[in-house]
Every structure is written in structure tokens, then in C-alpha cells.
Amino acid sequence: MRDDATGRTITAHEPRRIPWLDIVFGFGPMVPIAVGAAAAWWLNGQPLDYLVALFTLLYAASILLFLAGVHRGVSFRTEGGPRLAQIVTMLVLYALGLFSLFAAVMGKAVPALAMLILGYAAIGILDPIAARAGEVPLAHARLRPLQMPIAVVSLAVLLWLKLTAPY
């Protein structure tokens, strides 16, 4: 690291392989989404199924909001400064997460789940592209296509349950 009167120069090395902490903190947050969807499926039609689905939805929204913040945080350390694609991605993810929370609070689970599915799918598709462009860590090119389908499929299960529920 070099520090002078005008700023600081940081040299970093990113591994192509997925670091073990990225595996733990990447797949770990997906577990409650998958478990919540499985529990809602198992409880389908029983008294607590709605609450399990709602809490899973709220948790998934909080993780999507966190991932929006991760994108903003990475942009602070992007060589040459933040790029427009990073800022737009962060804003879109944040909007999807926030509006899914608003929809859930208003009792509109279907639009909330649709927004979450869109947000997680976008990360799974866009992060590998952004990794090659140096806009997110290089390991995300391999991590996100494995990680995000867990959330997308789990949320799709919740969406299907909601669409087929008698209430």
C-alpha cells in the first residue's frame, strides 16, 4: 500500500478459486431460505405455514438488501473508482429488496416473491459478468451461479405455494 497527500494506492490479489470464507458466508445465508421453503412446503395447509413463508420472505429480502450493500462496498475498492454498472446494480438490488419488504408488509406476497426471485436471479447472472470486468471479486464468477439458484428455487417454491394456497 502506498499513501501520499493525494490518496492511497492499494494492490490486491484475488484468487480465482472460491475462498472457504466465501463458501461459508455465501452458502450459509442460503440455508434459512431453503429450510424456510421446505418447512412451508411441509406445513402446507397447516396453521403455521403462512408465518414460516412470511419469515422466509422477510429474511430473503434482508439478504438481498445486504447483497446490494456488498455491491456498493466493492465499488469503493474498484480500480479507477466506482463504475456505473456497479451503482446501477446496487440500486436495482436495493429497490427490489426494499419494495419486496413493502409488498410483504402490505400483504402482497406474490409481488414480493417475484421481486426477490428477480433480484437473486440477476445476481446469479450478472455477478459472473461483473467479475470478469473487475467489478466484483473474481471468485463470484464461480460462486454466484452455484449460490443464487438455491434462493431462486426456494423462493419459487414459496411463490408456487402462495399461488396455490386456498387463502
Side-chain angles (χ1 to χ4, degrees):
M1 176 175 69
R2 288 191 333 257
D3 202 349
D4 61 32
T6 62
R8 179 181 296 160
T9 301
I10 298 171
T11 304
H13 175 76
E14 291 181 345
R16 289 192 185 279
R17 65 171 180 72
I18 304 170
W20 73 272
L21 274 178
D22 285 12
I23 292 170
V24 171
F25 292 119
F27 289 103
M30 298 298 110
V31 171
I33 300 172
V35 169
W41 180 284
W42 183 63
L43 292 170
N44 192 17
Q46 295 181 32
L48 294 178
D49 69 341
Y50 176 77
L51 282 178
V52 170
L54 178 62
F55 288 153
T56 304
L57 185 160
L58 295 174
Y59 173 80
S62 71
I63 295 300
L64 187 61
L65 289 167
F66 171 79
L67 290 170
V70 167
H71 275 79
R72 178 61 181 132
V74 169
S75 76
F76 288 122
R77 294 293 184 173
T78 300
E79 189 174 349
R83 297 185 184 153
L84 180 61
Q86 290 172 306
I87 302 304
V88 169
T89 301
M90 179 268 301
L91 290 172
V92 167
L93 294 177
Y94 185 79
L96 289 169
L98 184 63
F99 290 127
S100 71
L101 285 175
F102 291 163
V105 167
M106 293 186 302
K108 305 293 184 190
V110 170
L113 288 164
M115 286 185 272
L116 292 173
I117 291 167
L118 180 60
Y120 282 100
I123 293 171
I125 294 166
L126 296 176
D127 269 15
I129 297 166
R132 288 188 287 279
E135 296 168 357
V136 300
L138 192 55
H140 287 193
R142 295 179 61 207
L143 174 67
R144 297 300 194 220
L146 300 172
Q147 176 193 25
M148 292 303 123
I150 297 169
V152 169
V153 169
S154 299
L155 294 166
V157 166
L158 289 178
L159 179 60
W160 183 82
L161 288 172
K162 185 62 182 168
L163 290 172
T164 60
Y167 48 86

